[in-house]
Amino acid sequence: MRLDRLCLHDFRNYECQRLELQDGVNLLIGPNAQGKTNVLEAIFLLTGSRSWRAGRKSELIRFGTPGALIEAGLTSRGRDFEVRLSIPLSGRGAVTVNGVKANRQSRLSDVFRCVLFAPEDLSLLRDGAAARRRFLDTALCQLRPRYAELAAEYQKLIDHKTRLLRDEERRSAMMAVLPDFDARIVAVGTAVIRYRAQFVSLLAPVCQDIYRDISGGRETLSMRYATVSTIENPLGPQKEMENAFFRHLETHREAELRLGQCLSGPHKDDLVMEIDGRPCRAFASQGQTRSAALAMKFAEREMFFRDCGEYPVLLLDDVLSELDSARQSYVVEHTPGGQAIITCCEDTGRFSPSGRRLRVENGRIL
Ligand code: ATP
Ligand code: MG
């Protein structure tokens, strides 16, 4: 999988910028606040996922302009694709693949996949469960378009139910529709849990091998998907899981009404990580936390490769400077085999001299 060409129009601080990329390593070098991460963000949007850092789509549009446009030329599974993604200030955006209008999420993840590693990922294990759920969701939305649809529907149901739970005035009317809501939440939520648990069961051994390499064979990293407590086996029969989830919802109904919150479901789940049997969140050192985050990202990359036989494009946003030399070496040695687009303030010279070097200056790429 390769991004050959990228054109940005009124995207973030770019007015009109064309950029050619090569196979292997591409370095975007420049001082702070020039537009390096903005380029990675535009590339990331081509996967069909939402930006990891923009709260609203209007943030993506250059100040004072009516909309942004991202155009890209890609090579995927030996074929060329032209992708066009428009982000208007008002109304819905449009996506075309080779000139044909596409359903954003499913069609794009079919042709283009990325793994992004940014400084905020270095605390993937230290942060709350939401960060790890986001990690799972970002990977799964690219791997399984059906998952993206389910996850979006689940989120809508939870948002809607939360509004109902908080609407004191219409409480009696709400009580009448609550069972229907819960039935749908259970059906969609169970499917979400199964996708995530299956993914984790495949990811865990890959991540363990990578972590063992990074730690010089001294430590063992394990991961487990933790879900609704009444579900004993998240890989078990669907019906059994649905019944268990429903039981959990029933026992929490009163508390949900009291607190005005949805307390039960995969939006509360976690990916529990342990090193040598001890929970990372409580016991991992800084170095162990970084190694585990690195292992998770490289395991995600490996999973994509296993799924489609091609490495996804690796986006490294300023992480090298945050890693010590042993971990930097790991990244440098494991990047070949695919395309990598790497931002840095200074050229450390660690990446191959054959890597393409592009200078970023105030919304321009030279
Ligand atoms: P650092 O090395 O500090 O991470 P960077 O080169 O990665 O810097 P970016 O985050 O890519 O920097 O770009 C930041 C710049 O883009 C800022 O100057 C910011 O004001 C500008 N910017 C962000 N959004 C918009 C927008 N919608 N319109 C115009 N400029 C924007
Ligand atoms: Mg940046």
Side-chain angles (χ1 to χ4, degrees):
M1 210 160 275
R2 192 177 65 228
L3 176 65
D4 300 308
R5 199 169 22 77
L6 183 71
C7 288
L8 304 177
H9 306 271
D10 293 333
F11 181 83
R12 293 278 194 186
N13 65 339
Y14 290 93
E15 185 177 352
C16 181
Q17 181 68 53
R18 190 186 155 93
L19 144 86
E20 309 269 341
L21 297 136
Q22 68 170 32
D23 213 3
V25 172
N26 298 267
L27 288 172
L28 293 168
I29 309 159
N32 295 131
Q34 301 303 304
K36 302 182 297 295
T37 305
N38 292 346
V39 174
L40 298 193
E41 189 176 34
I43 298 171
F44 187 76
L45 292 173
L46 294 169
T47 65
S49 302
R50 293 168 61 121
S51 165
W52 75 95
R53 61 179 195 160
R56 297 153 187 261
K57 71 168 184 173
S58 58
E59 293 169 24
L60 304 170
I61 299 163
R62 195 164 69 89
F63 302 144
T65 66
L69 179 67
I70 305 169
E71 291 174 304
L74 317 167
T75 309
S76 174
R77 282 176 250 131
R79 288 177 58 201
D80 293 335
F81 293 92
E82 292 290 325
V83 176
R84 206 167 178 275
L85 202 122
S86 70
I87 309 166
L89 204 48
S90 56
R92 283 171 70 92
V95 181
T96 61
V97 177
N98 291 343
V100 179
K101 201 160 185 286
N103 162 318
R104 181 190 172 106
Q105 189 82 55
S106 55
R107 189 69 181 95
L108 287 185
S109 57
D110 254 7
V111 296
F112 191 61
R113 293 172 179 180
C114 281
V115 168
L116 167 80
F117 192 19
E120 48 267 46
D121 292 320
L122 290 167
S123 56
L124 204 48
L125 291 99
R126 277 280 153 81
D127 290 351
R132 288 175 293 283
R133 284 196 299 273
R134 210 175 310 117
F135 165 78
L136 294 177
D137 287 351
T138 306
L140 271 167
C141 283
Q142 294 188 56
L143 279 168
R144 302 277 172 265
R146 174 78 188 119
Y147 177 82
E149 287 164 20
L150 284 167
E153 184 181 353
Y154 183 77
Q155 192 52 52
K156 264 192 205 149
L157 286 164
I158 292 297
D159 291 346
H160 198 158
K161 184 176 162 185
T162 306
R163 281 198 300 278
L164 288 176
L165 289 171
R166 290 182 182 168
D167 191 346
E168 298 271 348
E169 281 171 24
R170 282 183 288 165
R171 176 138 293 184
S172 56
M174 191 268 291
M175 289 305 281
V177 295
L178 205 54
D180 290 343
F181 254 99
D182 284 349
R184 191 69 197 145
I185 283 174
V186 164
V188 179
T190 303
V192 167
I193 293 169
R194 284 177 76 85
Y195 268 108
R196 287 190 188 156
Q198 267 162 5
F199 179 65
V200 171
S201 72
L202 298 171
L203 183 80
V206 180
C207 197
Q208 195 166 72
D209 286 350
I210 294 173
Y211 186 85
R212 193 173 297 124
D213 264 8
I214 301 173
S215 70
R218 288 188 300 274
E219 297 163 1
T220 305
L221 176 74
S222 56
M223 60 168 70
R224 169 176 59 81
Y225 185 62
T227 187
V228 178
S229 61
T230 46
I231 297 178
E232 280 171 21
N233 176 12
L235 296 169
Q238 174 96 9
K239 207 71 221 149
E240 222 169 78
M241 284 172 65
E242 285 183 8
N243 291 340
F245 186 176
F246 208 82
R247 277 204 305 283
H248 197 267
L249 266 174
E250 278 177 339
T251 51
H252 287 75
R253 184 155 296 150
E254 225 171 274
E256 286 192 332
L257 284 163
R258 200 173 56 246
L259 298 168
Q261 279 180 38
C262 298
L263 297 174
S264 185
H267 61 292
K268 297 274 173 194
D269 289 355
D270 197 358
L271 179 60
V272 178
M273 313 272 300
E274 293 178 342
I275 293 174
D276 292 337
R278 290 194 190 89
C280 292
R281 249 194 112 178
F283 297 108
S285 71
Q286 290 271 21
Q288 286 173 322
T289 304
R290 286 176 173 229
S291 298
L294 191 59
M296 284 167 82
K297 287 291 165 175
F298 275 76
E300 182 188 356
R301 184 171 178 263
E302 204 54 45
M303 294 293 288
F304 283 14
F305 180 75
R306 289 181 184 189
D307 191 66
C308 70
E310 281 185 305
Y311 275 109
V313 173
L314 182 66
L315 307 176
L316 295 181
D317 190 17
D318 217 11
V319 282
L320 280 191
S321 57
E322 305 259 348
L323 297 172
D324 64 21
S325 65
R327 292 191 194 91
Q328 280 190 9
S329 301
Y330 186 90
V331 175
V332 174
E333 281 156 27
H334 289 78
T335 312
Q339 187 182 40
I341 302 163
I342 299 162
T343 71
C344 49
C345 289
E346 278 167 42
D347 189 352
T348 59
R350 286 210 69 113
F351 280 95
S352 62
S354 61
R356 179 164 196 161
R357 283 161 169 78
L358 300 151
R359 288 213 73 80
V360 183
E361 257 179 51
N362 195 20
R364 295 190 53 216
I365 298 173
L366 313 167

